Amino acid sequence: MSYTTKIKEEISSINNTESEIIAELAGFIRNNAIFIEDTITLTTENKTTIERVQNFLKTIYEINIDITTKDNNNFSKKELYALVVDQKVNKILQDIGLIDKDNNKLDTVPTYIVGANEEIRAYLRGVFLTCGSINDPKTSRYHMELFISTPEESIFVQKLLNLFDLNAKILGRDKGYMIYIKEAEKISDFIRILGANNAVLYYEDVRVYRDKKNQTNRLNNCEQANIDRIVATATEQLEQIKIIEETASIDLLDDKTRETLEYRKKYPEASLKELAEIISFETNKKLSKSGLNHRLRKIKDLAEQLEKHRQKEKD
């Protein structure tokens, strides 16, 4: 069972007040219905979802509708569950704000249907049940999307989402509009808004684990990068020392710098900080990292001068 299916099944068990039922039906029907003559056809791959819609219609409108199945033409092996509503169609459409009292189609749901916070949540549940999906947080990327067919509805749903500061965005597609959220924390907030508390706990557990794992990897990468820099620096300094020794030029260095040269050879893998501490401890003379760096610059300057002189002689 996919993570999206688990969320849909969990929110399908939520009890609603009558106004919340109307709001949820509005979100579902507006983004799902196919109208043929005087009927409304509602379809979904999720049996729990269609049973919830069936129960809502029975509770509010006292109509009994059988659930049927049909082939899915959307390249899916799953069959579709369908409800064909042929009773009280006009009243239902007016109640959910799809048409007004004069039977004119309304591009977006009237504000009174989503006038309260819980009604907004219910409307978003209805939208998600019909056209929403959320990646399992174990996958490579965090992603939530709602695929909506009309621009007016997509903008309206985006505004509802962003009332909760979810930073939802819209992307145009060939056959509609994708509203999406990419931020892990915002997706978690959205699942909480839907009322899927168990799904939130799972999402947060996986997200925290992934964040800690990524942090550990970043620290390990940082540590490795530091080691690589230390090795590269030490290797360069040993090459400089080699030039000085090959040209018998050690006596051109002062005593402290010659001492540093010997310690670098003795501890080739030590960082500047570690090497300064070693010299301080073994000579009983305090040497700072900047002081050590000053001595090593003298070695570098002498090695560069000697190398230039050697190149001139070759030429």
Coordinates of all heavy atoms in Angstrom, one line a residue, residues 7-8 18 29 69 80 91 102 113 123 137 170 180 196 199 212 222 249 261 268 274 282 302-303 308 311:
I7 N -2.6 7.6 3.7 CA -3.2 8.8 4.2 C -4.7 8.9 3.8 O -5.5 9.3 4.7 CB -2.4 10.0 3.5 CG1 -1.0 10.0 4.0 CG2 -3.1 11.4 3.9 CD1 -0.1 11.1 3.2
K8 N -5.0 8.6 2.6 CA -6.4 8.7 2.2 C -7.3 7.7 3.0 O -8.5 8.1 3.4 CB -6.6 8.3 0.7 CG -6.0 9.4 -0.2 CD -6.1 9.1 -1.7 CE -5.6 10.3 -2.5 NZ -5.7 10.1 -4.0
E18 N -22.1 18.4 9.7 CA -22.8 18.5 8.4 C -22.2 19.5 7.5 O -22.0 19.3 6.3 CB -24.3 18.9 8.7 CG -25.1 18.9 7.4 CD -26.6 19.1 7.6 OE1 -27.1 18.6 8.7 OE2 -27.3 19.7 6.8
I29 N -16.3 16.6 -5.3 CA -17.1 16.6 -6.5 C -16.6 17.6 -7.5 O -16.5 17.3 -8.7 CB -18.6 16.8 -6.2 CG1 -19.1 15.6 -5.3 CG2 -19.4 17.0 -7.4 CD1 -20.5 15.8 -4.8
T69 N -17.9 -1.0 -10.4 CA -16.5 -0.9 -10.8 C -16.4 -0.8 -12.3 O -17.3 -1.2 -13.0 CB -15.7 -2.2 -10.4 OG1 -16.4 -3.3 -10.9 CG2 -15.7 -2.3 -8.8
L80 N -11.4 1.0 -11.2 CA -12.0 2.2 -10.7 C -13.3 1.9 -10.0 O -14.1 1.0 -10.5 CB -12.2 3.2 -11.8 CG -11.0 4.0 -12.4 CD1 -11.5 4.8 -13.6 CD2 -10.4 4.9 -11.3
K91 N -30.0 19.8 -6.3 CA -29.8 20.3 -4.9 C -28.4 20.0 -4.4 O -27.8 20.9 -3.8 CB -30.8 19.5 -4.0 CG -30.6 19.9 -2.5 CD -31.7 19.4 -1.7 CE -31.4 19.7 -0.2 NZ -31.1 21.1 0.1
D102 N -29.7 29.9 -9.9 CA -30.2 30.0 -11.3 C -29.5 28.9 -12.2 O -29.6 29.0 -13.5 CB -30.0 31.4 -11.9 CG -30.7 32.4 -11.1 OD1 -31.9 32.2 -10.7 OD2 -30.2 33.5 -10.8
I113 N -19.1 28.3 2.2 CA -18.8 26.8 2.3 C -17.5 26.6 3.0 O -17.4 25.6 3.7 CB -18.9 26.1 0.9 CG1 -20.3 26.2 0.4 CG2 -18.4 24.7 1.0 CD1 -20.5 25.6 -1.0
Y123 N -12.6 20.9 3.0 CA -12.6 21.1 1.6 C -11.3 20.5 1.0 O -11.2 19.8 0.0 CB -12.7 22.5 1.3 CG -12.8 22.8 -0.2 CD1 -14.1 22.8 -0.8 CD2 -11.7 23.1 -1.0 CE1 -14.2 23.1 -2.2 CE2 -11.9 23.4 -2.4 CZ -13.1 23.4 -2.9 OH -13.2 23.6 -4.3
P137 N 8.2 9.7 2.5 CA 9.4 10.4 2.9 C 10.7 9.6 2.8 O 11.8 10.1 2.8 CB 9.1 10.8 4.4 CG 8.1 9.9 4.8 CD 7.2 9.5 3.6
I170 N 2.1 26.8 -8.0 CA 1.3 26.2 -9.2 C 2.2 26.1 -10.4 O 3.0 27.0 -10.7 CB 0.1 27.1 -9.5 CG1 -0.9 27.2 -8.4 CG2 -0.6 26.5 -10.7 CD1 -2.0 28.1 -8.6
Y180 N 1.8 22.3 -5.9 CA 2.8 21.4 -5.2 C 3.5 22.1 -4.0 O 3.6 23.3 -3.9 CB 3.9 20.9 -6.2 CG 4.8 22.0 -6.8 CD1 6.0 22.4 -6.2 CD2 4.4 22.8 -7.9 CE1 6.8 23.4 -6.7 CE2 5.2 23.8 -8.4 CZ 6.4 24.1 -7.8 OH 7.2 25.1 -8.2
A196 N -4.6 13.5 9.3 CA -4.0 12.1 9.2 C -2.8 12.1 10.3 O -1.7 12.1 9.9 CB -3.5 11.8 7.8
A199 N -0.2 9.3 9.9 CA 0.7 9.5 8.8 C 1.7 10.6 9.1 O 2.9 10.6 8.6 CB -0.1 9.9 7.6
K212 N 19.1 13.6 10.3 CA 20.2 13.2 11.1 C 21.3 12.5 10.2 O 22.5 12.7 10.4 CB 19.8 12.3 12.3 CG 19.1 13.1 13.4 CD 18.8 12.2 14.5 CE 18.1 13.0 15.7 NZ 17.7 12.1 16.8
C222 N 32.8 16.8 5.5 CA 33.6 17.9 5.9 C 34.9 17.5 6.6 O 36.0 18.0 6.3 CB 32.8 18.8 6.9 SG 33.6 20.2 7.5
S249 N 70.8 23.4 1.4 CA 70.6 24.8 1.7 C 69.9 25.0 3.1 O 69.4 26.0 3.4 CB 69.7 25.5 0.7 OG 70.3 25.4 -0.6
L261 N 61.4 22.4 10.3 CA 61.6 21.5 9.2 C 61.7 20.1 9.6 O 61.1 19.2 9.0 CB 62.8 22.0 8.4 CG 63.2 21.2 7.2 CD1 63.9 22.2 6.2 CD2 64.2 20.1 7.5
P268 N 54.5 14.0 9.4 CA 54.0 14.5 8.1 C 52.5 14.5 8.0 O 52.0 15.3 7.2 CB 54.6 13.4 7.1 CG 54.8 12.2 8.0 CD 55.2 12.7 9.3
E274 N 48.0 20.7 15.2 CA 48.6 19.6 15.9 C 50.1 19.7 16.0 O 50.7 19.4 17.0 CB 48.2 18.3 15.2 CG 46.7 17.9 15.4 CD 46.3 16.8 14.5 OE1 47.0 16.5 13.5 OE2 45.2 16.2 14.7
E282 N 57.2 19.3 23.1 CA 58.4 18.6 23.1 C 59.6 19.5 23.3 O 60.6 19.1 23.9 CB 58.6 17.8 21.8 CG 57.7 16.7 21.6 CD 58.0 15.7 20.5 OE1 59.1 16.0 19.8 OE2 57.3 14.8 20.2
L302 N 62.1 30.0 0.6 CA 63.5 29.5 0.3 C 63.4 28.5 -0.8 O 64.2 28.5 -1.8 CB 64.2 29.0 1.5 CG 65.6 28.4 1.3 CD1 66.5 29.5 0.7 CD2 66.2 27.8 2.6
A303 N 62.4 27.5 -0.7 CA 62.3 26.5 -1.7 C 62.0 27.0 -3.0 O 62.5 26.6 -4.0 CB 61.2 25.5 -1.2
K308 N 63.7 28.3 -8.5 CA 63.9 29.2 -9.7 C 65.3 29.2 -10.1 O 65.6 29.2 -11.3 CB 63.4 30.6 -9.2 CG 61.9 30.8 -9.1 CD 61.6 32.2 -8.7 CE 60.1 32.4 -8.5 NZ 59.8 33.8 -8.0
Q311 N 66.1 26.1 -12.1 CA 65.5 26.1 -13.4 C 66.4 27.0 -14.3 O 66.5 26.7 -15.5 CB 64.1 26.7 -13.4 CG 63.1 25.7 -12.7 CD 63.0 24.4 -13.5 OE1 63.1 24.4 -14.7 NE2 62.8 23.3 -12.8

